[in-house]
Structures are given as C-alpha cells and as structure tokens.
Amino acid sequence: MTRQQSRLFAIVSTVIVVVAFAALTIDSHRRFPKLTNESKLTPQVIAGKKVWHENNCTNCHTLLGEGAYYAPDLTKIALQRGSEYLKAFMRDPSKFYDEQKVRRVMPKQNLSEQEISDLIAFLDWIGRIDNQGWPPRPILVSGAAIPGTDIVRGERTPQVTGAATSNEPVARGQALFNATPPGCYACHSISPGVNLAGPSLADFATRAEQTLKDPAYRGKARDVAGYIRESIVDPNAHIVPGPAYSADNRSFMPGNFGKELSPEQVDHLVAYLESLK
C-alpha cells in the first residue's frame, strides 16, 4: 500500500467510525424516553432523587451499577421488596438486622414520611428502567448471597437464574422464583430456619396445610394451592406474624403481583411452591 493509499484508508476508516458513532448516539437518544419511562418521571420521582442525593445514599449503594460498592445495588429493590417493607425499613433499619451478626447495618436517616414516599417513588421508577441487564454482577440484596439459602434437606439445589430447565410447571415456577421481577428469592430462602426479609419457604406446602386448619386463619383459601395463590395475589388476606414481616396490619409482601404477573405465571409459582414439602 502506497503512502497515498494509506492516507486515504485512514481518512475513509475515520469517516466510517464517526458516522457509525453518530448514528448509534442518535439512536440511543431516540430510545432513551422509552427505555427510562420518561413519561413517568413525576415531580415525586424528582423529589425522591433529591432525597437520595441529600442523604448521600450513593456513598454506600449503587444504582444501575453507579455509586459505592459498600452496600447492595438498589436498582431493582422496589420491585423486589415492595413499598410496605421499604417504608418500615427506612423508618428504622435496625429492626430488620442484628448488628452483632451482620456487623454493619444501614444508619437511621430520620427521614420524614413524605421523604420516604418520595424516595420509594424514585426507586420504583429506577427499577422499571430497561437497563439491558446492566450491571452484569451487582451486589444484590438477596438470599443467594447468604451461605445455605440454596440448601434443602441437606442437599444443594441447582442454581436457577430465571431460565427454566424445562416446560414443566414446577421448573418454570422455580425459574420465575429466581427472576426479577418478581424477585421472590430476594425475600425468601428455601432453607429451614433461614429467614430473610420474609419467612423461609422450606416445607411451605406442609405449613400451608397446617395454617388452613388453624382457627386464626382469616383468608378464603380452602386448599394448599389456593392458600399459596392467595399469599401471592392477596398477601394481606392472612398476615404472617413477625415484626420483620408486617406492620400496621399490612404484610410487607408486595401486593401488586396479581397485576404484575400473568395468570399462567402465578400457576407456575403455585406449582413450584406446592412442591416445597
């Protein structure tokens, strides 16, 4: 290649790269409103963003992979834990963790009720951004990060991360359990005695049968499958006692799964949870 040809090749290559970069930039900006749900960027969401920064939440947590890595990434926390849990947690985080066991807890920020509501609205908006799977390996608020939460009756269960191993309902339900949304794994373990934000689901079907026979049961289910379905779509029908599970007669379990999940998805979750005996 002559010097003139080399120069021409360099010029043409640069022009192609610049054009491609410009086209990708324009396409990205064109898609941002849809990917970020810009239409739902309400004044309350903006106020919540202000609360996030004024309280230096980013000094410990990350959003969309950006921030400090001292504490978990909170990109999907609103979808995983729900507003009732987050309200109670932000009021007093010390009620949910034993400092002697975990050695570090979130400090109490003394937020007002309005600030808490605004912050939850902001986190809910963040959680609904199509982040294209980024970050690939966030520090999660998840039972998967705690040793033993994937052990059932002394045997370690296969790690399922949202991909079903077959079309069988139990397998599809297990995959859904480990996917976000709904993020069931973030609040519930399937190991005996390992309680996270919600109670352990080990032997859940057996305990559901016992609950149905308990005179204190106030729900409308008549069988185990019905009780499990009720627990998913109407968690306030029967409140599981415990200071970390409910407050003000409201379950911390998100109450929107009946709308967020399709009937088929609920069926799959019921099939999986009914298999935990």
Side-chain angles (χ1 to χ4, degrees):
M1 184 179 291
T2 65
R3 181 177 298 179
Q4 184 176 3
Q5 289 174 327
S6 299
R7 183 182 300 111
L8 180 61
F9 176 79
I11 293 173
V12 171
S13 298
T14 301
V15 170
I16 291 174
V17 170
V18 169
V19 170
F21 179 79
L24 290 173
T25 301
I26 292 172
D27 181 64
S28 294
H29 282 276
R30 180 180 60 82
R31 298 177 64 198
F32 283 160
K34 181 178 180 180
L35 292 174
T36 62
N37 297 308
E38 187 179 281
S39 60
K40 297 182 180 179
L41 192 59
T42 64
Q44 187 177 27
V45 171
I46 295 173
K49 179 176 181 289
K50 183 179 179 182
V51 174
W52 172 270
H53 288 295
E54 286 184 344
N55 288 274
N56 299 314
C57 302
T58 192
N59 285 357
C60 293
H61 296 282
T62 58
L63 287 178
L64 303 170
E66 294 293 329
Y69 288 86
Y70 180 76
D73 183 281
L74 300 184
T75 301
K76 300 294 183 181
I77 192 65
L79 303 183
Q80 293 174 335
R81 294 291 171 89
S83 61
E84 295 300 326
Y85 173 89
L86 292 177
K87 285 178 183 177
F89 184 86
M90 291 178 190
R91 288 167 185 159
D92 189 1
S94 65
K95 291 184 178 180
F96 292 80
Y97 295 98
D98 186 336
E99 187 172 3
Q100 292 184 350
K101 289 183 179 180
V102 300
R103 292 185 294 176
R104 62 180 187 183
V105 295
M106 178 172 162
K108 187 175 181 180
Q109 300 289 347
N110 296 314
L111 300 175
S112 68
E113 291 299 308
Q114 184 60 54
E115 288 176 321
I116 290 174
S117 295
D118 293 344
L119 186 53
I120 291 174
F122 171 63
L123 292 173
D124 182 74
W125 178 77
I126 287 288
R128 298 179 189 279
I129 290 176
D130 184 354
N131 58 350
Q132 307 285 303
W134 185 265
R137 293 182 297 277
I139 303 175
L140 297 176
V141 180
S142 165
I146 301 176
T149 55
D150 58 343
I151 295 176
V152 181
R153 300 187 184 280
E155 297 181 0
R156 190 172 298 277
T157 59
Q159 290 298 308
V160 180
T161 56
T165 55
S166 74
N167 286 325
E168 197 263 336
V170 173
R172 296 186 67 176
Q174 184 183 20
L176 186 60
F177 184 91
N178 287 281
T180 301
C184 310
Y185 70 100
C187 293
H188 300 281
S189 81
I190 56 174
S191 296
V194 181
N195 297 318
L196 305 175
S200 168
L201 297 183
D203 302 320
F204 184 43
T206 301
R207 288 186 287 116
E209 188 173 3
Q210 295 171 349
T211 300
L212 289 171
K213 298 176 181 178
D214 189 338
Y217 173 65
R218 294 291 181 266
K220 298 179 180 179
R222 293 294 178 264
D223 55 26
V224 171
Y227 174 78
I228 295 174
R229 184 179 304 277
E230 180 182 74
S231 299
I232 296 170
V233 302
D234 186 14
N236 291 303
H238 176 69
I239 305 297
V240 176
Y245 306 149
S246 63
D248 302 325
N249 204 35
R250 297 285 298 178
S251 171
F252 289 157
M253 172 92 167
N256 60 341
F257 288 143
K259 297 179 180 179
E260 297 284 340
L261 301 177
S262 69
E264 184 181 34
Q265 287 177 312
V266 174
D267 289 341
H268 293 156
L269 274 178
V270 170
Y272 170 59
L273 296 174
E274 195 173 8
S275 72
L276 302 178
K277 299 179 179 180

